Amino acid sequence: MRFSFVIFFFGLISFSCEEQFGNEKNELPQKIVDSSNELFPGKLIEQTSFILDGVDVWKIKIENESGSVVSFYWQKSYNLLFMIEGERGPFNYDLMPPLGVLILSTAKFLAFESYSEEVLTSWKLKRNDSYKNRWVYLFYLNHTESPIMIDAVSGDVL
């Protein structure tokens, strides 16, 4: 009888803690939405959750007044920025990621020095395993197979 009571008691405590604090991994923190909107002001058009490269992330997709679309991917477990993706242009905006990296306009300038005739179709800022997990910008151009890769800290073409 006493053993049943102990199991019941711990079950009750677990249930009440979950009820009190909520399931944090399934509830999108407002701070993430606000941080994304500060980086790229606009209208929130999507907020989802999924696994990206083996990491559980929140995706916040924002469209600005010009029709440009940028998605922010935040690592759920630490609420840290995991990746940024410029999905649709025009790409005439600037963005300053809070990661100690180059601002988008500088990286774009360095990437397009020798490709000024090509049209940018999308871009990403993410960590790259091939380069010691450094932050890199990837610029995808029309009529090219591979993206232009820029070290997001030094500005070197990789």
Side-chain angles (χ1 to χ4, degrees), residues 26-43:
N26 292 327
E27 294 178 20
L28 175 66
Q30 185 61 41
K31 182 180 179 183
I32 287 179
V33 175
D34 294 343
S35 295
S36 300
N37 210 5
E38 283 177 27
L39 291 168
F40 187 74
K43 178 178 69 168

Side-chain angles (χ1 to χ4, degrees), residues 110-126:
L110 294 169
F112 285 97
E113 283 181 315
S114 58
Y115 293 95
S116 60
E117 299 298 314
E118 295 298 330
V119 176
L120 180 64
T121 58
S122 66
W123 64 270
K124 291 181 184 178
L125 174 63
K126 64 184 242 173

Side-chain angles (χ1 to χ4, degrees), residues 8 34 89-90 114 143-144:
F8 174 75
D34 294 343
S114 58
H143 307 297
T144 58

Side-chain angles (χ1 to χ4, degrees), residues 78-119:
Y78 302 108
N79 291 337
L80 294 175
L81 196 54
F82 183 74
M83 183 174 81
I84 304 173
E85 180 177 24
E87 295 183 32
R88 186 175 73 213
F91 299 102
N92 58 355
Y93 53 86
D94 207 359
L95 196 130
M96 186 172 182
L99 305 166
V101 300
L102 298 171
I103 60 175
L104 177 62
S105 60
T106 301
K108 202 167 35 170
F109 171 78
L110 294 169
F112 285 97
E113 283 181 315
S114 58
Y115 293 95
S116 60
E117 299 298 314
E118 295 298 330
V119 176

Side-chain angles (χ1 to χ4, degrees), residues 12 20 29 41 52 60 62 64 73 98-99 107 117 130 147 151 158:
L12 185 61
Q20 180 179 357
L52 177 64
I60 308 299
I62 299 173
N64 72 5
Y73 300 84
L99 305 166
E117 299 298 314
S130 302
D151 183 307
L158 303 173

